[in-house]
Amino acid sequence: MTSADEAPATGVWLVGARGSVAVTAIVGAAALRAGLAEPVGCVTAGPRFAAARLPDYADLVFGGHDISDVSILKQAAELADDGVIPAALPGAVADDLRAADAAIRPATPRAGDPRSARQRISGLIADLEEFRAARRLRRVVVINVASTEPPIPGHPDHPDHWRLADLEAALDRDDADLPASSEYAYAALRAGCPYVDFTPSTGARLPALDELARSVGVPYAGSDAKTGETLLVSALAPMLTSRALRVRSWSGTNLLGGGDGATLADTGAAASKTASKRRGLDRLLGAPVEGRTHIDNVPAQGGWKTAWDHIGFEGFLGVRMTMQFTWQGCDSALAAPLVLDLARLLARAHECGAAGAFTPASFFFKDPVPATEHDEPDYRLANQYEALLSWAPSVAVEPEPEAGS
Amino acid sequence: MTSADEAPATGVWLVGARGSVAVTAIVGAAALRAGLAEPVGCVTAGPRFAAARLPDYADLVFGGHDISDVSILKQAAELADDGVIPAALPGAVADDLRAADAAIRPATPRAGDPRSARQRISGLIADLEEFRAARRLRRVVVINVASTEPPIPGHPDHPDHWRLADLEAALDRDDADLPASSEYAYAALRAGCPYVDFTPSTGARLPALDELARSVGVPYAGSDAKTGETLLVSALAPMLTSRALRVRSWSGTNLLGGGDGATLADTGAAASKTASKRRGLDRLLGAPVEGRTHIDNVPAQGGWKTAWDHIGFEGFLGVRMTMQFTWQGCDSALAAPLVLDLARLLARAHECGAAGAFTPASFFFKDPVPATEHDEPDYRLANQYEALLSWAPSVAVEPEPEAGS
Amino acid sequence: MTSADEAPATGVWLVGARGSVAVTAIVGAAALRAGLAEPVGCVTAGPRFAAARLPDYADLVFGGHDISDVSILKQAAELADDGVIPAALPGAVADDLRAADAAIRPATPRAGDPRSARQRISGLIADLEEFRAARRLRRVVVINVASTEPPIPGHPDHPDHWRLADLEAALDRDDADLPASSEYAYAALRAGCPYVDFTPSTGARLPALDELARSVGVPYAGSDAKTGETLLVSALAPMLTSRALRVRSWSGTNLLGGGDGATLADTGAAASKTASKRRGLDRLLGAPVEGRTHIDNVPAQGGWKTAWDHIGFEGFLGVRMTMQFTWQGCDSALAAPLVLDLARLLARAHECGAAGAFTPASFFFKDPVPATEHDEPDYRLANQYEALLSWAPSVAVEPEPEAGS
Amino acid sequence: MTSADEAPATGVWLVGARGSVAVTAIVGAAALRAGLAEPVGCVTAGPRFAAARLPDYADLVFGGHDISDVSILKQAAELADDGVIPAALPGAVADDLRAADAAIRPATPRAGDPRSARQRISGLIADLEEFRAARRLRRVVVINVASTEPPIPGHPDHPDHWRLADLEAALDRDDADLPASSEYAYAALRAGCPYVDFTPSTGARLPALDELARSVGVPYAGSDAKTGETLLVSALAPMLTSRALRVRSWSGTNLLGGGDGATLADTGAAASKTASKRRGLDRLLGAPVEGRTHIDNVPAQGGWKTAWDHIGFEGFLGVRMTMQFTWQGCDSALAAPLVLDLARLLARAHECGAAGAFTPASFFFKDPVPATEHDEPDYRLANQYEALLSWAPSVAVEPEPEAGS
């Protein structure tokens, strides 16, 4: 813990701040601060990151946007009812939850919003700057944990999304056609805030926004945190390929309840998600294989996600074999500590001068941002982990004082 | 392919040469030579090993010991009936199978053998030297694929097994108490042959034998090839620990048919095997966890092995989650290409001067030989694979001619 | 076995006679006749049916229609390659396979067939009568094992499909709009042949055809034989309901290779199949539950079908629990003996005067024919089995000689 | 609900009244009485039993013995923490829990108890009679839900356990060698109380005790309630046999936490349990098959039980197939409603004059009591359910007034 003079707190601005993942992250950070929980599931809590000077969990301050006006305290009580967080925890950290709730600004659904994109973006930037000033934050990391957007038709071929100058001109004409997540990314970067795409929504994944991030010296990371099936895929596919076993088919069924189930089941949003899933699989295996990936909405699952994968593969002399796994995880409990990890990592990376795609965070994502558009990201979990571990020592020295600080 | 003058063939001497793994390896090497199969399941067939100057599959020549006198051709026909190898294959490579069969020497079961250990060892060395000379082999790699021995009571505390001088003296007195696999290892090393423990039997895993290997300049590798449950464990446990998830229990049930099932089910041999399995698991997780590992003999499984593992773990804020997998593999088809890989790797390592524990082969084993007795081997599959890949370029240059060749 | 004079053979006319199920049935009947196989998987081979005077397996004579001209012998060889039937069997019963092949008549795909429905039906009747006469068969059972038809739009509300008189008039006008399977059912019944819908195609499941069956005194049975997921559902759902456990969700994923996979995956035909599956489930549970059923085409599965079902249920005091199963079956091996069973049962039922829906056969089907349109069939497997067992003694007496025989 | 004059309440005397199953049953009955829960998992709550005049859930009054002195209220709070019962429930029915707790008498562990068997039995009878009198109960059903006893060496061949007269004489000499559960059964029967063996302990399963039950006109039921793996086995094995599929192997692994796990794992008690499990399986399949059943203690499972079963079977023409299931159930939640069901059923059976083995209750048990020692019980779940349903109408009439009531 540090005094406010030496190292002011780090802000975490959550897009979708009253959703399950965000609320679990806020409750969890408060529980860590209060010594009521251990950092289980927190990747950067381990000794390999001890010298990396990441901001303390106790120094994270939360705010965000949400279209819902159900309070964080109430959402936390529902999560406790569903068994996602311990029953007594929301009450024990109620003050912190109220403080976070007070820092949430209403989000306006795009449909029916009469404002221009420029106006919307200015509003977002103003909210971020007000949060930073009011809480005296050294820096704010923006993390998108809102519902997944459906894929944008025509994207990624929009001619104005390739170069920053074209995007700015299109914004001036108010025909930039940016999805909401990309307006957020633009606003965050312009406000000097690192930006993380925790979902498969477009967010910062446009060449023009990458150019912006580099030009303003701000890192971004994404996309689509892996917390279940894809986490396993990224561990098991390299196992099979390193053994030279020939994968013939990979079939997956995901049963989701909660908000995610409703959003993702058989809609455009699911198409975003399954495309992101299969893309990684194909890359890991070197070629597309037979099989499909399903995402089903099963409200009875509550906050729990069940994934069943069946892998058909061929061994020596053509013998056919199979592997199956069933993963039964609590989505918010898996995702929330990663939100905290990413906030810490991006804050530190920013402090150390990282700009543009922050590739050491690939470990967290289904569809990791490549270093440049010409690079191919590594999808293998263990290799991603080694890359993250290798980054830690590089920031273990005292950073140069930042301009103006 | 090379002429005999330039690069004589490499011998592979299989202890247990008429067992399923050995016969599948012999049939498979013949199929590769004949262009009847692709090297699926062969780790070293890939491009990363292309420059490593490993001996060609076509240049492997097989011999070995077995107590069974059922011919390889007949064993191959049975494997074909069980679906382990294609029905037409034994006939198509019958000449090669007959040649290998002709090079098999009868093994004498220890019980009832009136000879001293020194006499037995001399016999083994003579067999190896005769094989090398008769086939004009540049070098011979000895691989133990015989049935797993029960653990040795008292081992590893036998006072004469720690230093080579003590072992030699004990052999002179004929009270060295070496298990059969260790007599094999001793004989192989004395004959200048790299030795591989494909099973959990003691083999070369005695300090005195490590000393021998170093003193005679011969590499050895082991122990206990991982072809199913442990392969998965070594990929999945690092996934969980890298995500800081707290594993509470790991339970495993293995259903084995074939000879393995009968040998391993509920006997001392199974104790060797499950101890080897749990040891790796504990190391991977950093501490022992709840749960047991069962090995059941289920003859109806034939040559197929089914492993079911159930992992209970805890995530953020104490939420309990589970993962299960079922692996349905053909043991011989998984093991046989690794036998070929290890023969190629150890031959090349020997050629390049490696001596003692050959740690780049850890990737293949449940209980990998550490570099020295003070080292802790790495049990993480992906890291083991990287270590193997890193070794390949180190042998990619033309080796110096060996003395006497 | 009986002499031709006393008890002439029973014909089995297979629609889709060169498909996997048909060929496996023909090979299997030949193997039983030759004493090369035991009747494993044959429901009516047991002692409970010993007195029921079903025709002998040895007395079944096969013919049928198919659009394919690949011979049964060649199809059988492919099944042997895929491991569905023993490698040596097709050769051992080659004469029987050739005899069956000779009795197959080419089927004409509906598209491009210039004939009227009446003309097509006359052709089918002529083929059946020729088969019966040529082989001197006492009776012929027609079994539809052809590819599943997509659902008929507008069906079952076609005004001319409700009453036989209307159907006949519509046939006279050539606008009866019967699917191919229903033309077959009509032809079979008019030819005095019991008819079995082994698939979910419409077949005899039209009120007008039920009327026809009753008027001509011929039994029919169906629909959609259960050989995997639904077989399990019909055993497990009653288990849960008899224990008063509250099923909240039932999710199923079916991975199919072979022809079935291609036909059923994500097309209208799959819609027929999944509708048939969910209908039974809803009836068994008393109400629809959450969850979906997927059928995926995974060619790498070959003739094997993998079904994974996940059931979420609630117990006492609202506790949530789950059950999963994985079924890995060979579709043809499961279906073929049921084809033989149904041939024997329907032949005997016909002999004993049964007409219309033959409900004791419900045990075999996903979507069993109700006794009358006002009845609800029993979907519980054990109750269906008891119903079948109860029928057996009712036909255990010597039947009266049939008119004209 | 009825007035005390017309139909006094029914007592349920639980041996092991402070264990998880007992406490869940007591909490659940209170919740049903208070309208706070629905009778999910209660077999006899359905319409098929509406006319059977079973005692109301609201009329069950609880007492019992336990060696633990941790109060029911405290045990209920722990069950709530483990998620077995809703968090708010113990508080909501606290008065009922306190009332039950007040009726619990301390049990004395056998070891160190200086009393003779006769003295112990007299004490048990006195407790039962006091409970009946104090609560003005019409009748009391004794249900053994205590920890499973290890198998009795020498049993069932003890010469004095076959005839009642011999048993009485042995009790007079104090060398009857009855296990504690059988002393309980003896005491219950002598006190005119129906007795239920909810565990695999010997209890009433001795010929001499059967003779006693018949002579005093009291019914008993057992043994070993099926709530997980065996429930599934009893549904799935008949599915396979009715389809004439040949089961080759059946392997099962049970992971248990809680007290059960500790009691059952790898001790004599587990031997009781697995013997009971395999016996039923063998009977269901008609012959023993390959495979083993494991019970592992995995404390991390808490009150949850995970069973994985793997079944290898053969279909038509020798094709090998497999089925697996995973059952993840909360043991107490599955067992508790059955305790209530059995109390209601045995009370009503007693009221209607049933004496000796009460076979309609076979539906509940792994190892059901046969009608007589010469009978073979039916192990098939669906048939057991039909037998239970058939019994219900037989008690749907007003019974004759009992002597003395």
Side-chain angles (χ1 to χ4, degrees):
Chain A
M1 317 282 157
T2 55
S3 76
D5 293 333
E6 289 167 345
T10 300
V12 184
W13 186 264
L14 298 165
V15 187
R18 287 176 170 131
S20 301
V21 172
V23 171
T24 306
I26 294 168
V27 170
L32 292 170
R33 190 177 302 125
L36 297 172
E38 293 174 76
V40 175
C42 296
V43 169
T44 58
R48 305 289 290 268
F49 295 90
R53 299 180 177 263
L54 308 183
D56 255 24
Y57 292 108
D59 292 338
L60 300 180
V61 171
F62 295 89
H65 279 118
D66 207 298
I67 53 171
S68 161
D69 55 8
V70 179
S71 79
I72 288 179
L73 207 59
K74 193 157 169 16
Q75 297 280 26
E78 285 187 15
L79 289 171
D81 279 352
D82 195 26
V84 174
I85 59 178
L89 198 49
V93 297
D95 287 348
D96 279 15
L97 304 192
R98 275 190 213 100
D101 213 57
I104 296 179
R105 296 287 159 268
T108 314
R110 180 76 72 88
D113 185 338
R115 295 178 297 170
S116 70
R118 281 279 189 219
Q119 287 169 327
R120 284 192 298 267
I121 287 167
S122 299
L124 299 175
I125 292 174
D127 287 344
L128 287 169
E129 288 178 343
E130 186 206 339
F131 177 59
R132 182 159 49 192
R135 302 297 182 99
R136 304 186 55 186
L137 303 167
R138 192 164 188 168
R139 61 178 51 76
V140 174
V141 179
V142 176
I143 304 184
N144 179 19
V145 290
S147 297
T148 296
E149 295 168 352
I152 312 302
H155 174 83
D157 293 327
H158 194 297
D160 294 330
H161 293 177
W162 289 89
R163 293 171 4 122
L164 180 57
D166 294 337
L167 177 62
E168 296 290 359
L171 284 169
D172 290 340
R173 294 189 313 268
D174 201 22
D175 66 354
D177 272 347
L178 288 180
S181 61
S182 296
E183 290 186 1
Y184 253 108
Y186 179 94
L189 297 171
R190 279 283 173 216
C193 300
Y195 178 83
V196 177
D197 285 319
F198 208 78
T199 77
S201 299
T202 307
R205 302 295 291 274
L206 294 174
L209 293 178
D210 180 74
E211 186 183 340
L212 172 59
R214 293 178 200 276
S215 72
V216 297
V218 173
Y220 70 93
S223 304
D224 204 3
K226 55 184 179 233
T227 58
E229 188 188 40
T230 307
L231 180 64
L232 277 139
V233 166
S234 67
L236 293 173
M239 178 197 84
L240 294 163
T241 56
S242 71
R243 279 298 179 93
L245 298 164
R246 182 178 288 168
V247 175
R248 297 279 308 274
S249 67
W250 199 302
S251 306
T253 298
N254 295 272
L255 312 180
L256 275 71
D260 247 26
T263 305
L264 289 176
D266 284 74
T267 66
S272 282
K273 201 89 177 186
T274 56
S276 160
K277 279 167 174 284
R278 295 300 299 192
R279 190 158 48 234
L281 177 61
D282 295 350
R283 297 278 168 78
L284 283 163
L285 297 176
V289 296
E290 295 174 7
R292 295 187 55 191
T293 299
H294 301 286
I295 301 182
D296 291 0
N297 180 26
V298 179
Q301 291 275 119
W304 265 258
K305 181 158 70 175
T306 299
W308 174 74
D309 276 33
H310 176 278
I311 301 119
F313 61 97
E314 212 178 279
F316 202 43
L317 306 177
V319 174
R320 292 189 221 161
M321 316 189 215
T322 61
M323 177 168 62
Q324 299 168 57
F325 67 79
T326 302
W327 172 265
Q328 293 169 297
C330 175
D331 201 43
S332 300
L334 289 160
L338 307 185
V339 167
L340 305 182
D341 284 324
L342 286 163
R344 300 174 80 203
L345 291 166
L346 272 282
R348 179 65 177 143
H350 187 212
E351 185 175 29
C352 296
F358 181 64
T359 56
S362 294
F363 176 63
F364 296 89
F365 297 109
K366 290 192 190 70
D367 187 19
V369 184
T372 76
E373 60 186 296
H374 308 296
D375 288 302
E376 172 75 0
D378 197 328
Y379 287 85
R380 296 169 299 170
L381 187 73
N383 299 60
Q384 293 171 334
Y385 186 55
E386 292 301 325
L388 179 61
L389 290 177
S390 306
W391 171 81
S394 76
V395 294
V397 293
E398 184 64 50
E400 293 301 306
E402 289 176 280
S405 74
Chain B
M1 318 283 157
T2 55
S3 78
D5 294 333
E6 289 167 345
T10 300
V12 185
W13 187 265
L14 298 164
V15 186
R18 285 172 171 136
S20 301
V21 172
V23 171
T24 307
I26 294 167
V27 170
L32 291 170
R33 190 178 303 124
L36 297 172
E38 292 173 76
V40 174
C42 295
V43 169
T44 58
R48 304 287 292 265
F49 296 90
R53 296 177 178 267
L54 308 182
D56 254 25
Y57 293 106
D59 290 339
L60 300 179
V61 171
F62 295 89
H65 279 119
D66 207 299
I67 54 170
S68 162
D69 57 5
V70 178
S71 78
I72 289 179
L73 206 60
K74 195 159 167 11
Q75 296 279 27
E78 284 187 16
L79 289 171
D81 278 353
D82 195 25
V84 174
I85 59 178
L89 198 49
V93 297
D95 287 348
D96 279 14
L97 304 192
R98 275 190 212 97
D101 212 58
I104 296 179
R105 295 288 160 267
T108 316
R110 181 77 72 87
D113 186 338
R115 298 176 297 169
S116 71
R118 282 279 189 219
Q119 288 169 325
R120 284 193 297 269
I121 287 166
S122 299
L124 298 175
I125 292 172
D127 286 345
L128 288 169
E129 289 177 342
E130 185 206 340
F131 176 59
R132 185 160 45 192
R135 300 299 181 99
R136 307 186 53 188
L137 302 168
R138 191 166 190 167
R139 61 178 50 76
V140 174
V141 179
V142 175
I143 304 185
N144 179 18
V145 290
S147 296
T148 295
E149 295 169 353
I152 312 301
H155 174 80
D157 295 324
H158 195 296
D160 295 329
H161 292 176
W162 288 91
R163 292 170 6 118
L164 181 55
D166 295 336
L167 177 63
E168 295 290 0
L171 283 169
D172 290 341
R173 298 189 309 268
D174 202 20
D175 65 356
D177 272 347
L178 288 179
S181 60
S182 297
E183 291 186 359
Y184 253 108
Y186 180 95
L189 297 170
R190 280 283 173 216
C193 299
Y195 179 81
V196 178
D197 285 320
F198 206 78
T199 78
S201 300
T202 307
R205 302 295 291 272
L206 295 173
L209 294 178
D210 179 75
E211 186 184 341
L212 173 58
R214 291 177 201 277
S215 73
V216 298
V218 173
Y220 70 93
S223 302
D224 202 5
K226 56 185 177 233
T227 58
E229 188 188 39
T230 306
L231 179 64
L232 277 138
V233 166
S234 68
L236 291 173
M239 177 197 83
L240 293 164
T241 56
S242 70
R243 279 298 180 94
L245 298 165
R246 182 178 287 168
V247 175
R248 297 279 309 273
S249 66
W250 198 302
S251 305
T253 297
N254 295 272
L255 312 179
L256 276 70
D260 246 26
T263 305
L264 289 176
D266 283 72
T267 68
S272 282
K273 201 87 177 185
T274 57
S276 158
K277 280 169 174 283
R278 291 305 294 194
R279 190 158 48 236
L281 178 60
D282 295 351
R283 298 277 170 80
L284 283 164
L285 297 177
V289 297
E290 297 173 5
R292 297 186 54 193
T293 299
H294 301 286
I295 301 182
D296 291 0
N297 180 25
V298 179
Q301 291 274 119
W304 266 257
K305 182 159 68 175
T306 298
W308 174 75
D309 276 36
H310 176 277
I311 301 119
F313 61 97
E314 213 179 277
F316 201 42
L317 305 176
V319 174
R320 293 188 220 160
M321 317 189 215
T322 61
M323 177 168 63
Q324 299 168 59
F325 67 79
T326 301
W327 172 265
Q328 294 170 296
C330 175
D331 203 42
S332 301
L334 289 160
L338 306 185
V339 167
L340 305 182
D341 284 322
L342 285 162
R344 301 174 79 204
L345 290 166
L346 272 282
R348 178 65 178 141
H350 188 212
E351 184 176 29
C352 295
F358 181 63
T359 56
S362 295
F363 176 64
F364 296 89
F365 297 110
K366 290 192 189 70
D367 188 18
V369 184
T372 77
E373 58 185 295
H374 309 295
D375 288 303
E376 173 74 1
D378 198 328
Y379 287 84
R380 295 169 298 170
L381 186 73
N383 299 59
Q384 293 172 332
Y385 186 55
E386 292 301 323
L388 180 60
L389 290 178
S390 305
W391 171 83
S394 77
V395 294
V397 293
E398 185 64 51
E400 293 301 305
E402 290 176 276
S405 75
Chain C
M1 318 281 158
T2 56
S3 78
D5 293 335
E6 288 166 345
T10 299
V12 184
W13 186 265
L14 298 164
V15 186
R18 286 174 172 134
S20 301
V21 172
V23 171
T24 307
I26 293 168
V27 170
L32 291 170
R33 190 178 302 124
L36 298 173
E38 291 174 77
V40 174
C42 296
V43 169
T44 58
R48 305 287 290 267
F49 296 90
R53 297 179 180 266
L54 308 182
D56 255 25
Y57 293 106
D59 291 340
L60 300 179
V61 172
F62 295 89
H65 279 120
D66 207 299
I67 54 172
S68 161
D69 56 6
V70 179
S71 79
I72 288 180
L73 207 60
K74 193 158 170 11
Q75 296 280 25
E78 285 188 14
L79 290 171
D81 279 352
D82 194 26
V84 174
I85 59 178
L89 198 48
V93 298
D95 287 348
D96 279 15
L97 303 192
R98 276 190 212 98
D101 213 58
I104 295 179
R105 294 289 160 266
T108 314
R110 181 76 72 87
D113 185 338
R115 295 177 298 170
S116 70
R118 282 281 189 218
Q119 287 169 327
R120 284 191 299 267
I121 288 166
S122 299
L124 298 174
I125 293 174
D127 286 344
L128 288 169
E129 288 178 343
E130 186 206 339
F131 177 59
R132 182 158 50 193
R135 301 298 182 99
R136 304 186 54 186
L137 303 167
R138 192 163 189 170
R139 61 178 52 75
V140 174
V141 179
V142 175
I143 304 185
N144 180 18
V145 290
S147 296
T148 295
E149 295 169 351
I152 312 300
H155 174 78
D157 294 325
H158 193 298
D160 294 331
H161 294 176
W162 289 90
R163 290 167 9 116
L164 181 56
D166 295 337
L167 178 62
E168 296 290 0
L171 284 169
D172 290 340
R173 296 189 308 268
D174 202 21
D175 66 356
D177 272 347
L178 286 181
S181 62
S182 297
E183 290 186 1
Y184 252 108
Y186 179 94
L189 297 171
R190 280 284 173 216
C193 299
Y195 179 83
V196 178
D197 285 319
F198 208 78
T199 77
S201 300
T202 307
R205 301 295 291 273
L206 295 174
L209 293 178
D210 179 74
E211 186 183 340
L212 172 59
R214 292 177 200 278
S215 73
V216 297
V218 174
Y220 69 93
S223 304
D224 203 4
K226 56 184 177 232
T227 58
E229 187 188 41
T230 307
L231 180 65
L232 277 139
V233 166
S234 68
L236 292 173
M239 179 198 82
L240 293 164
T241 56
S242 71
R243 279 297 179 95
L245 297 165
R246 181 177 288 168
V247 175
R248 297 279 308 273
S249 68
W250 199 303
S251 306
T253 298
N254 295 272
L255 312 180
L256 275 72
D260 248 24
T263 305
L264 287 176
D266 283 71
T267 66
S272 283
K273 202 87 177 185
T274 58
S276 158
K277 279 168 175 283
R278 293 299 302 192
R279 189 159 48 234
L281 177 61
D282 295 350
R283 298 278 168 78
L284 283 163
L285 297 177
V289 296
E290 296 172 6
R292 298 186 54 191
T293 300
H294 301 286
I295 302 181
D296 291 0
N297 180 27
V298 180
Q301 291 275 118
W304 266 259
K305 181 159 69 176
T306 297
W308 174 74
D309 275 33
H310 176 278
I311 301 120
F313 61 98
E314 211 180 279
F316 202 42
L317 306 176
V319 174
R320 292 189 219 161
M321 316 189 215
T322 61
M323 177 169 61
Q324 299 168 58
F325 67 78
T326 302
W327 172 266
Q328 294 169 296
C330 175
D331 201 44
S332 300
L334 289 160
L338 307 185
V339 166
L340 305 182
D341 285 323
L342 285 161
R344 300 175 78 204
L345 290 166
L346 272 282
R348 179 62 177 145
H350 188 213
E351 184 175 28
C352 296
F358 180 64
T359 57
S362 294
F363 176 64
F364 297 90
F365 297 110
K366 290 192 189 71
D367 187 17
V369 184
T372 76
E373 60 186 293
H374 308 296
D375 289 302
E376 172 75 359
D378 198 330
Y379 287 85
R380 295 169 300 170
L381 186 74
N383 299 59
Q384 293 171 334
Y385 186 54
E386 291 302 324
L388 179 61
L389 290 177
S390 307
W391 171 82
S394 76
V395 295
V397 294
E398 184 65 50
E400 294 300 307
E402 291 177 275
S405 76
Chain D
M1 318 281 157
T2 55
S3 78
D5 293 333
E6 290 166 344
T10 300
V12 184
W13 186 264
L14 297 165
V15 186
R18 287 177 171 131
S20 300
V21 172
V23 172
T24 307
I26 294 168
V27 170
L32 292 170
R33 191 178 303 122
L36 297 173
E38 292 173 76
V40 174
C42 297
V43 169
T44 59
R48 304 288 292 265
F49 296 90
R53 296 178 179 266
L54 309 182
D56 253 26
Y57 293 106
D59 291 339
L60 300 179
V61 172
F62 294 89
H65 279 119
D66 207 299
I67 54 171
S68 161
D69 55 8
V70 179
S71 78
I72 288 180
L73 207 60
K74 194 158 167 15
Q75 296 279 28
E78 284 187 16
L79 290 171
D81 278 353
D82 195 24
V84 175
I85 59 178
L89 198 49
V93 297
D95 286 348
D96 279 15
L97 304 192
R98 278 191 210 98
D101 212 57
I104 296 179
R105 296 287 159 268
T108 315
R110 180 76 72 89
D113 186 337
R115 295 176 297 169
S116 71
R118 280 281 189 218
Q119 288 169 324
R120 284 193 298 267
I121 287 166
S122 298
L124 298 176
I125 293 174
D127 286 344
L128 288 170
E129 288 177 344
E130 187 207 337
F131 177 57
R132 183 159 48 193
R135 302 297 182 101
R136 306 185 53 185
L137 302 167
R138 192 165 190 167
R139 61 178 51 76
V140 174
V141 179
V142 175
I143 305 184
N144 179 18
V145 289
S147 295
T148 296
E149 295 169 352
I152 313 301
H155 174 81
D157 294 325
H158 195 296
D160 295 330
H161 293 177
W162 289 90
R163 292 171 5 120
L164 181 56
D166 295 337
L167 177 62
E168 295 290 359
L171 283 169
D172 291 340
R173 296 189 310 269
D174 202 22
D175 67 355
D177 272 348
L178 286 180
S181 61
S182 297
E183 291 186 0
Y184 252 109
Y186 179 94
L189 297 170
R190 279 285 174 216
C193 299
Y195 179 83
V196 178
D197 285 321
F198 207 78
T199 78
S201 299
T202 307
R205 302 295 292 272
L206 294 174
L209 293 178
D210 180 74
E211 186 183 340
L212 173 58
R214 293 178 199 278
S215 74
V216 298
V218 173
Y220 70 92
S223 304
D224 202 5
K226 57 184 176 231
T227 58
E229 188 188 38
T230 308
L231 179 65
L232 276 140
V233 166
S234 68
L236 291 174
M239 178 197 84
L240 294 163
T241 56
S242 71
R243 278 298 179 95
L245 298 165
R246 181 178 287 167
V247 174
R248 297 280 308 274
S249 68
W250 197 303
S251 305
T253 297
N254 295 271
L255 313 180
L256 273 70
D260 246 27
T263 306
L264 289 175
D266 283 72
T267 67
S272 282
K273 201 87 177 185
T274 56
S276 159
K277 281 168 174 283
R278 293 303 296 193
R279 191 159 47 235
L281 177 62
D282 295 351
R283 298 278 168 77
L284 283 164
L285 297 177
V289 297
E290 297 173 4
R292 298 187 53 193
T293 299
H294 301 287
I295 301 182
D296 291 1
N297 180 27
V298 179
Q301 290 275 120
W304 264 257
K305 182 158 69 175
T306 298
W308 173 74
D309 277 35
H310 176 277
I311 302 121
F313 61 96
E314 212 179 278
F316 201 44
L317 305 176
V319 174
R320 293 188 219 162
M321 315 191 216
T322 62
M323 177 168 61
Q324 299 168 59
F325 67 78
T326 302
W327 172 264
Q328 294 168 298
C330 174
D331 202 42
S332 301
L334 289 159
L338 307 184
V339 167
L340 306 182
D341 284 324
L342 286 161
R344 301 174 79 203
L345 290 166
L346 272 283
R348 179 65 179 144
H350 188 214
E351 184 175 28
C352 296
F358 180 64
T359 56
S362 295
F363 176 65
F364 296 89
F365 296 110
K366 288 191 190 70
D367 188 18
V369 185
T372 76
E373 60 185 296
H374 308 296
D375 288 304
E376 172 75 0
D378 198 328
Y379 286 85
R380 294 169 300 170
L381 186 75
N383 299 58
Q384 293 171 333
Y385 186 55
E386 292 300 324
L388 179 61
L389 290 177
S390 305
W391 170 82
S394 77
V395 294
V397 294
E398 185 61 52
E400 293 301 306
E402 290 176 277
S405 73

